[in-house]
Amino acid sequence: MTIGRIIEGRDTVLTCQVSNTVREAVEILAERRIGALPVLDGESLAGMFSERDVIYRLREFGPSVLDKPVSDVMTAPAVTVESLTSVMTALAMMTRRRIRHLPVMDGERMIGMVSIGDLVKYRIDKVESEAAAMRDYIQMA
């Protein structure tokens, strides 16, 4: 299974621009109850802004960080995958890099995003399906 199949038919991904303030980006995270936003510079992916970025920078700079541009606090460059990347490769990358969100790229253009939850759900569904097939096989024997 590829990442492209996982994101098939999804709506567009919420993003913010490098010029948005941290306060504006935090508002989007809180309002939509999401953990991360891809940060764009025009149409190009510049980085990722996550809850972790907020926490780390609040500790470092205090509340004044809320008025800084997202470009000052985002994680850059963003770790990305292509649509043909396998689910297991993406899961391994996320585990190794300790990240929870991956923008999906088609060349220089972002076409979607997957979370570790998306990939774990796929794996659980697959394991449950294989277990059911094995039970059916055993019962038929």
Side-chain angles (χ1 to χ4, degrees):
M1 174 68 82
T2 65
I3 296 300
R5 294 280 309 273
I6 299 284
I7 66 167
E8 234 171 44
R10 287 193 177 173
D11 293 334
T12 58
V13 176
L14 286 174
T15 63
C16 68
Q17 290 289 321
V18 290
S19 59
N20 285 111
T21 65
V22 171
R23 184 182 315 274
E24 292 167 332
V26 165
E27 182 63 32
I28 295 169
L29 293 179
E31 182 180 296
R32 294 300 184 101
R33 300 184 56 82
I34 56 176
L37 284 170
V39 180
L40 303 179
D41 186 357
E43 295 292 315
S44 299
L45 182 65
M48 287 292 292
F49 176 75
S50 71
E51 299 161 324
R52 290 177 182 177
D53 293 318
V54 176
I55 298 301
Y56 298 152
R57 298 317 183 281
L58 273 171
R59 184 188 70 200
E60 189 176 348
F61 300 112
S64 65
V65 75
L66 296 172
D67 298 316
K68 291 183 179 284
V70 172
S71 60
D72 287 358
V73 301
M74 69 185 182
T75 300
V79 177
T80 64
V81 292
E82 296 176 350
S83 61
L84 294 178
T85 304
S86 75
V87 168
M88 292 309 292
T89 298
L91 270 172
M93 181 187 307
M94 294 170 99
T95 302
R96 189 173 55 255
R97 301 292 298 267
R98 299 181 54 85
I99 56 178
R100 297 177 292 173
H101 301 87
L102 285 173
V104 182
M105 305 297 289
D106 181 12
E108 295 295 313
R109 188 173 66 92
M110 187 178 71
I111 59 171
M113 190 162 76
V114 292
S115 71
I116 198 157
D118 297 328
L119 305 184
V120 168
K121 179 187 179 314
Y122 163 76
R123 289 294 298 152
I124 288 171
D125 290 348
K126 183 174 180 179
V127 166
E128 288 175 350
S129 174
E130 289 171 353
M134 185 65 72
R135 278 192 300 273
D136 291 345
Y137 175 77
I138 291 169
Q139 288 175 354
M140 301 286 283

